[in-house]
């Protein structure tokens, strides 16, 4: 008699078809306290759309069918065109339709920065590659607004809610996407080592025409309608920032030659290229000699996007791990009922909520700075805590995504699953826009230039810690580090930034999270100096894991 040998049981797919916002109490709370509650209906509709199985399928397709570079057409004409799978354009259209690209800048609505971050965070839980051009385009808006002639041409296309994927000159399109070109092979993060040269056509000067010669080793989103590029004005001259479109004003293709696309570990849906400028046409933005400060202004915003992107990865990894552990049985009971696994899941949940709280506080600082209402603490949060948050949240995201993958066992370690994509995606936010050491050095530079920032932060932390001796105790070594002379502090940069972020997160959770969450975070991050290094290596006996897990993802 034939016997069934392949009965499939106790196997569960990764979670799709759920409401990303309705199941995220921490995000809902964050939107209310930042004044963005008016965006909840729109964000809720988008969260439901993102959570459908159809959208998850688009994300899988966009990452499986990676961009293809066509350097020449079938008659040998140079076209340097990047071809994308239709799933990419579908996801780009979804994001653009929400108005998220220009949301922080298109009004003075309270909570607009938090509403944008929430939309970015929700989208990033499903697909991250499409957020790269969105990030670049958004961050370029404040710079372009300072250039009246350019802004007049591009404003309506940057505010547009229509995705226009056609490879045509910008004036013929309903919307445009922008990229950035800083990195060169010999310099990496050391932008001052760049050698690309811009030569004026005629008088040059602000708004003037230039021809660029040189290369970029990482050219973010080479298919974009234009890029902001750093180049020297003359051999060995000062740096400047240039607007370099894909198409020249006369309708011919600009001389930006894409040599190849990067074969990246993750971020597979998105294209990153190596390019050569062979007399590429560009316009000078700002003044000569101000190129690096100009592009760093853009990078401040893109670093916030990195924090949001990594927080999104941690959130989705946490959700997937909890949902799977509640269904999968081993050794006679569900994984989520087993004490050691509960410690792991609760630790993931704590890290996720702390990352989101940090993100929401940063959006308040950015918005108040834009509105001219920023306090000394707000300015310190924006200037000091943005690179600090990028260092910590993005770096933690890599290990946390791997830990969540491990909950699935071998099923998590296959390329066609959600967990693998989250894991492979996670390192890019830590590397892009300045790796870990660069972020720590940026924190130190900010503190050196603005000594009052440290005082403002410490006072803000002390106010939040009033009545909580565990945070007050953690403030003392932080104050000691900040008092060290610069030549001693540089080698301790990572230690300083780690302490800075952990204290900040503890303060935010004490102010805004349920007591079970705040107490558990403080106990496992501040009281136990060894905790937080390996997920789940916490003393969970005094942690209300049930409350924490139910808040993280309701059963």
């Amino acid at each position: 008699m034939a016997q069934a040998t392949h009965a499939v049981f106790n196997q569960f797919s990764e979670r799709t078809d759920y409401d990303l916002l309705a199941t995220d109490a921490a995000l809902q709370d964050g939107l209310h306290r930042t004044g963005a509650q008016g965006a909840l209906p729109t964000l809720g509709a988008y969260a439901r759309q993102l959570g459908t199985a159809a959208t998850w399928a688009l994300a899988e397709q966009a990452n499986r069918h990676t961009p293809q570079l066509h350097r020449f057409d079938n008659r040998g004409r140079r076209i340097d065109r990047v071809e994308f799978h239709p799933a990419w354009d579908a996801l780009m259209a979804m994001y653009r339709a929400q108005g998220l690209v220009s949301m922080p800048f298109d009004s003075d609505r309270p909570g607009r920065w938090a509403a944008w971050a929430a939309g970015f965070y929700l989208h990033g839980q499903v697909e991250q590659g499409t957020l790269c051009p969105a990030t670049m385009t958004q961050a370029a808006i404040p710079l372009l607004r300072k250039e009246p002639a350019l802004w007049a041409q591009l404003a309506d296309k940057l505010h547009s809610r229509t995705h226009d994927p056609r490879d045509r000159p910008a004036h013929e399109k309903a919307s445009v996407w922008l990229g950035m070109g800083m990195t060169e092979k010999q310099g990496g993060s050391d932008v001052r080592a760049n050698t690309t040269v811009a030569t004026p056509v005629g008088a040059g000067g602000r708004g003037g025409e230039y021809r660029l010669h040189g290369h970029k080793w990482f050219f973010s989103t080479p298919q974009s309608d234009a890029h902001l590029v750093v180049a020297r004005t003359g051999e060995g001259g000062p740096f400047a920032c240039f607007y370099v479109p894909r198409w020249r004003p006369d309708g011919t293709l600009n001389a930006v030659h894409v040599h190849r696309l990067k074969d990246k570990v993750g971020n597979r849906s998105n294209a990153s290229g190596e390019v050569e400028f062979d007399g590429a046409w560009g316009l000078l933005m700002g003044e000569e000699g101000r190129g690096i400060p100009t592009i760093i202004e853009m990078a401040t915003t893109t670093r916030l996007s990195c924090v949001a992107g990594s927080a999104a990865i941690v959130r989705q990894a946490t959700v997937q791990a909890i949902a799977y552990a509640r269904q999968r049985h081993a050794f006679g009971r569900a994984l989520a009922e087993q004490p050691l696994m509960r410690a792991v899941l609760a630790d993931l949940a704590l890290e996720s909520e702390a990352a989101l709280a940090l993100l929401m506080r940063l959006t308040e600082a950015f918005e108040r700075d834009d509105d001219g209402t920023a306090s000394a603490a707000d300015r310190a949060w924006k200037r000091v805590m943005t690179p600090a948050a990028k260092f910590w949240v993005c770096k933690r995201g890599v290990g946390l995504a791997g830990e969540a993958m491990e909950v699935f066992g071998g099923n998590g370690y296959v390329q066609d699953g959600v967990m693998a994509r989250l894991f492979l995606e996670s390192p890019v936010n830590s590397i892009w826009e300045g790796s870990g050491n660069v972020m720590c050095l940026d924190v130190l530079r900010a503190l050196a230039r603005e000594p009052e920032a440290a005082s403002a932060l410490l006072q803000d932390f002390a106010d939040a810690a009033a009545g909580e001796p565990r945070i007050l105790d953690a403030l003392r070594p932080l104050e000691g580090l900040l008092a060290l002379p610069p030549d001693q502090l540089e080698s301790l940069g990572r230690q300083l930034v780690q302490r800075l972020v952990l204290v900040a997160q503890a303060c935010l959770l004490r102010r805004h999270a349920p007591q079970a969450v705040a107490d558990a975070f403080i106990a496992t991050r501040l009281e136990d100096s060894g905790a937080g290094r390996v997920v789940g290596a916490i003393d969970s006996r005094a942690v209300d894991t049930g409350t924490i897990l139910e808040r993280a993802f309701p059963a």
Side-chain angles (χ1 to χ4, degrees):
M1 180 177 178
Q3 294 183 345
T5 60
H6 190 63
V8 179
F9 61 97
N10 198 28
Q11 287 283 353
F12 306 94
S13 300
E14 289 146 314
R15 186 66 182 267
T16 60
D17 266 331
Y18 76 98
D19 188 327
L20 275 67
L21 180 56
T23 54
D24 192 341
L27 180 56
Q28 294 174 55
D29 291 349
L31 289 167
H32 278 283
R33 70 171 174 267
T34 55
Q37 61 270 22
L40 278 166
T42 302
L43 288 169
Y46 192 40
R48 290 188 291 275
Q49 181 185 15
L50 287 166
T52 63
T55 304
W56 286 98
L58 289 175
E60 189 277 328
Q61 292 163 12
N63 283 273
R64 176 157 47 91
H65 301 287
T66 56
Q68 302 296 311
L69 172 64
H70 302 286
R71 295 176 64 191
F72 301 93
D73 69 9
N74 59 4
R75 292 296 181 267
R77 292 179 286 259
R78 185 116 201 188
I79 56 173
D80 292 300
R81 184 171 298 158
V82 182
E83 178 187 357
F84 290 86
H85 188 270
W88 165 271
D89 288 310
L91 290 161
M92 294 281 279
M94 285 172 56
Y95 187 86
R96 190 119 211 183
Q98 307 306 310
L100 292 164
V101 171
S102 61
M103 185 174 288
F105 310 113
D106 63 10
S107 75
D108 58 359
R109 294 188 309 273
R112 61 191 182 275
W113 274 91
W116 156 76
F120 191 99
Y121 173 83
L122 291 166
H123 188 103
Q125 291 180 49
V126 181
E127 210 290 307
Q128 292 250 333
T130 41
L131 292 177
C132 184
T135 294
M136 297 289 184
T137 305
Q138 178 192 19
I141 289 175
L143 276 63
L144 290 166
R145 288 168 75 172
K146 298 176 183 178
E147 308 298 325
L150 268 176
W151 184 244
Q153 299 173 35
L154 298 173
D156 62 330
K157 303 178 191 304
L158 292 167
H159 288 277
S160 174
R161 294 190 175 206
T162 300
H163 171 54
D164 189 342
R166 295 176 300 160
D167 187 15
R168 300 297 302 156
H171 69 270
E172 298 179 15
K173 299 184 63 173
S175 63
V176 294
W177 296 99
L178 302 180
M180 179 192 291
M182 284 197 298
T183 306
E184 297 186 5
K185 61 174 73 82
Q186 73 281 353
S189 296
D190 183 6
V191 181
R192 296 187 184 279
N194 284 5
T195 60
T196 296
V197 172
T199 304
V201 178
R206 187 167 191 167
E209 300 180 26
Y210 286 74
R211 298 289 183 185
L212 278 71
H213 291 84
H215 77 281
K216 295 296 173 183
W217 187 236
F218 276 93
F219 202 57
S220 298
T221 61
Q223 76 280 4
S224 294
D225 298 285
H227 285 78
L228 302 192
V229 174
V230 173
R232 292 182 180 274
T233 49
E235 294 288 345
F239 290 102
C241 181
F242 296 87
Y243 174 84
V244 181
R246 176 161 168 77
W247 295 85
R248 299 186 188 96
D250 63 6
T252 60
L253 200 61
N254 208 354
V256 180
H257 301 319
V258 185
H259 288 310
R260 64 170 176 168
L261 300 183
K262 299 289 190 180
D263 187 11
K264 296 170 292 184
V265 170
N267 204 247
R268 304 287 292 175
S269 66
N270 178 48
S272 303
E274 300 169 18
V275 304
E276 181 180 356
F277 303 123
D278 187 16
W281 184 91
L283 296 175
L284 175 61
M285 295 178 60
E287 305 295 338
E288 291 188 13
R290 297 291 301 167
I292 293 176
T294 298
I295 211 76
I296 288 298
E297 180 183 343
M298 184 177 179
T300 300
T301 304
T302 55
R303 287 170 178 175
L304 181 63
S305 295
C306 289
V307 177
S310 286
I313 289 174
V314 174
R315 167 64 187 171
Q316 188 53 222
T318 300
V319 166
Q320 293 292 347
I322 293 173
Y324 185 76
R326 284 173 176 160
Q327 301 175 88
R328 177 79 169 181
H329 283 68
F331 311 111
R333 54 180 169 167
L335 292 176
E337 295 173 1
Q338 302 186 26
L340 191 53
M341 180 59 78
R342 289 174 72 80
V344 170
L345 297 175
D347 213 7
L348 286 169
L350 291 173
E351 197 76 32
S352 178
E353 181 152 355
L356 178 61
L358 192 59
L359 171 64
M360 289 289 105
R361 179 62 182 92
L362 290 172
T363 66
E364 291 182 297
F366 273 70
E367 185 166 311
R368 291 167 186 166
D369 191 51
D370 281 356
D371 292 344
T373 61
S375 65
D378 290 322
R379 290 189 291 274
W381 271 92
K382 181 178 180 180
R383 182 64 189 92
V384 177
M385 293 306 299
T386 299
K390 183 191 178 305
F391 168 81
W392 183 251
V393 175
C394 297
K395 193 164 291 296
R396 290 290 287 160
V398 181
L400 293 162
E403 194 69 52
M405 176 190 283
E406 191 173 318
V407 173
F408 285 74
N411 289 333
Y413 196 65
V414 290
Q415 286 280 18
D416 59 355
V418 173
M419 300 309 298
R421 189 163 70 249
L422 292 172
F423 178 71
L424 294 172
E425 193 72 39
S426 58
V428 70
N429 288 319
S430 186
I431 297 168
W432 184 57
E433 294 297 53
S435 56
N437 282 355
V438 173
M439 291 302 96
C440 292
L441 292 172
D442 197 26
V443 169
L444 296 179
R445 280 192 292 269
L447 291 170
R449 290 172 184 164
E450 304 169 33
E452 67 279 5
S455 299
L457 284 172
L458 289 172
Q459 185 60 57
D460 193 31
F461 296 160
D463 291 344
E468 175 46 81
R470 294 172 296 181
I471 301 180
L472 293 171
D473 287 346
L475 273 173
R476 295 188 188 98
L478 181 58
E479 291 169 347
L481 280 171
L482 288 169
L484 290 174
D487 60 331
Q488 295 182 36
L489 192 55
E490 182 172 332
S491 66
L492 301 173
R494 288 191 172 212
Q495 184 181 140
L496 168 67
V497 172
Q498 175 176 294
R499 288 180 181 272
L500 196 61
V501 174
L502 289 176
V503 169
Q505 289 178 322
C507 290
L508 291 170
L509 293 179
R510 184 166 189 259
R511 275 176 167 159
H512 306 301
Q515 186 172 349
V517 173
D519 283 348
F521 186 89
I522 293 167
T524 58
R525 269 57 173 182
L526 300 186
E527 279 194 302
D528 183 351
S529 61
R533 296 174 186 165
V534 176
V535 176
I538 60 175
D539 184 350
S540 61
R541 292 171 295 180
V543 171
D544 187 351
T545 55
T547 297
I548 291 168
L549 294 178
E550 183 64 20
R551 175 174 170 81
F553 192 62

